[in-house]
Amino acid sequence: MAAACFFPFLLLLLPAAATAPARRPLFREYIGAEGQNVTFADVPVHPGVDFHFILAFAIDYAADPANASAPPRPTDGRFLAYWDEANLTPAAVAAAKRGGGGCGNNVRVALSLGGDTVRGANATFRASSVDAWVANAVVSLTDILTTYGLDGVDVDYEHFGERETPEVFAECVGRLVRALRALGVISFASIAPFANPDVQAHYGELWRRYGREFEYVNFQFYAYAANTTVPQLLGYYDEQSRRYAGGGGKVLLGFGTDPASGGLGPGKGFFRACRALRRQGRLHGVFVWAADNSAADGFRYERVAQRFLAGALPGFT
């Protein structure tokens, strides 16, 4: 049976317990980082999943006004949008959220903070102080989130300054997310660490102090070696699930369509690992890096992943 879009008058005929919609499986996709002119409308959205687009990236770096050819400089929490703003506009966000999956209620859109690089240089986390960075970040991100009508934030810093210890990072990001929730401008948050000692130290401290502020962990399993096997991926999943246990989030399984991605690819056993976790009741969702790369293949594996999650509901090709 296809996912239903209920009409208000039908709800009057249902008992109260039946009016709450069933929770759909979760699918998330990063978009906009590589300027490939990929739009929200290009990406297939299955009506049987909750679909999160994640705009990549908002970065607290800006161009040097005195030297346009110089790399951008850190701005101490004053964030700017670095995704494909020509295609991924506020109007496009609104249209995606209205029309997703045919029902118009299964698409939400978030932004991701940081990323690997900004204009070819490392997007290094820098903060003059916790208080200053948080104050600047709350103001600048509230403006971006409300302008674009976004729903959540993802944290994907991958490089850290010498003074930006795990404790400083944890307090900056944890206080930021807590403040954005209190202001009502986000309804969910996630982190996106990977298996690097420095990265894990910073996100581990954030999780220890503020883990309950995050619903999802987009662990970058595609950062492991390209010859990863199904048993190895399941072992990595167990390891990271233990590391990020005890907070508010669920570790999601992810794959990359970027040619540089490693890990266990979707054509090499990724879905066998998904089936194993689903049998155990431990598959909390799937995410993909990234739509920009997937467009060349017609979003082949996004379609496969969403059919898998939704139980191969009809009406989706």
Side-chain angles (χ1 to χ4, degrees):
M1 179 182 292
C5 299
F6 295 106
F7 295 96
F9 70 86
L10 291 179
L11 296 180
L12 299 176
L13 305 178
L14 298 174
T19 61
R23 181 177 295 275
R24 290 172 290 226
L26 178 63
F27 181 84
R28 316 186 89 202
E29 176 116 36
Y30 290 87
I31 186 170
E34 299 182 16
Q36 298 297 314
N37 295 319
V38 177
T39 70
F40 296 121
D42 293 330
V43 183
V45 175
H46 197 299
V49 303
D50 281 330
F51 195 113
H52 292 181
F53 283 108
I54 305 175
L55 292 163
F57 291 95
I59 313 175
D60 54 334
Y61 273 63
D64 183 350
N67 184 358
S69 63
R73 295 182 175 182
T75 56
D76 203 20
R78 297 175 181 90
F79 283 86
L80 297 172
Y82 277 88
W83 57 78
D84 180 2
E85 290 185 278
N87 289 289
L88 306 174
T89 63
V93 170
K97 292 169 67 172
R98 284 196 306 268
C103 292
N105 66 350
N106 67 324
V107 171
R108 294 197 285 178
V109 186
L111 60 77
S112 188
L113 307 180
D116 182 22
T117 62
V118 51
R119 302 290 188 260
N122 284 350
T124 302
F125 178 78
R126 299 283 188 183
S128 63
S129 72
V130 171
D131 289 343
W133 189 92
V134 171
N136 293 334
V138 169
V139 171
S140 59
L141 286 172
T142 296
D143 181 58
I144 296 171
L145 289 159
T146 55
T147 297
Y148 277 81
L150 303 179
D151 305 291
V153 296
D154 174 67
V155 183
D156 188 23
Y157 279 105
E158 302 185 5
H159 307 281
F160 308 91
E162 299 80 5
R163 296 184 298 106
E164 285 73 19
T165 63
E167 292 76 17
V168 169
F169 176 71
E171 285 304 312
C172 285
V173 173
R175 292 187 196 179
L176 167 65
V177 171
R178 184 169 289 174
L180 294 175
R181 285 190 188 276
L183 290 169
V185 293
I186 63 170
S187 57
F188 61 85
S190 58
I191 58 173
F194 58 96
N196 168 279
D198 192 39
V199 169
Q200 294 279 55
H202 282 76
Y203 283 93
E205 186 64 21
L206 173 62
W207 193 258
R208 186 180 74 79
R209 297 183 182 209
Y210 291 97
R212 293 194 178 279
E213 297 293 336
F214 298 91
E215 282 81 3
Y216 316 110
V217 179
N218 288 2
F219 196 85
Q220 297 182 44
F221 291 101
Y222 43 82
Y224 287 105
N227 61 352
T228 297
T229 65
V230 171
Q232 285 174 327
L233 179 59
L234 292 173
Y236 297 148
Y237 184 86
D238 289 344
E239 176 188 355
Q240 304 309 329
S241 294
R242 289 191 297 270
R243 185 185 301 272
Y244 295 101
K250 303 289 188 182
V251 175
L252 309 182
L253 210 56
F255 64 84
T257 56
D258 185 326
S261 293
L264 181 64
K268 298 182 178 180
F270 178 85
F271 292 107
R272 292 204 304 274
C274 287
R275 281 194 292 272
L277 291 175
R278 186 157 68 180
R279 284 194 299 268
Q280 300 167 16
R282 301 171 61 217
L283 182 64
H284 306 299
V286 170
F287 75 97
V288 180
W289 173 269
D292 306 60
N293 310 111
S294 301
D297 197 25
F299 303 97
R300 173 185 177 187
Y301 290 115
E302 280 83 350
R303 297 176 190 276
V304 174
Q306 291 178 76
R307 284 196 204 98
F308 173 85
L309 289 169
L313 290 173
F316 182 76
T317 59

